[in-house]
Amino acid sequence: MFIFNFDMKTSELPRLFEIYRKRWGIETGFRVVKHGVRIRTTSTNYFLRAFDFMLTCSFYNLWVMTNIIISFTVFGGIKHKIFIEVEIFMDLLSRVDFELYIKPPGT
């Protein structure tokens, strides 16, 4: 149920619902970054903090992209559903042995 402090025509409600749905997505995104993928540091070094922020953004974007790819694979398009929870995604990502994929120069 929505309560407003202004008059709304019934014909305007679908647009308002769409705006609230998008806002909900933004709030969810902030919550995911804050609790799911954020790298925590106590460093006061600006460059380290900036790097941590950029890495956090990269993890978040990778998580979103993974869910979009799964959605396209399963449904043939984007569905507003999370297939892999961020905690599971970060756990799986932490288990990847990147040394298997990166070969040192000259090998």
Side-chain angles (χ1 to χ4, degrees), residues 45-83:
N45 182 317
Y46 170 78
F47 296 105
L48 181 60
R49 294 180 72 83
F51 177 78
D52 287 349
F53 174 75
M54 288 184 255
L55 192 58
T56 294
C57 291
S58 297
F59 286 153
Y60 175 78
N61 289 333
L62 186 60
W63 172 70
V64 169
M65 184 175 64
T66 301
N67 279 291
I68 289 172
I69 290 170
I70 292 171
S71 183
F72 267 99
T73 303
V74 173
F75 296 109
I78 296 177
K79 299 290 180 186
H80 298 285
K81 179 179 179 184
I82 296 173
F83 294 95

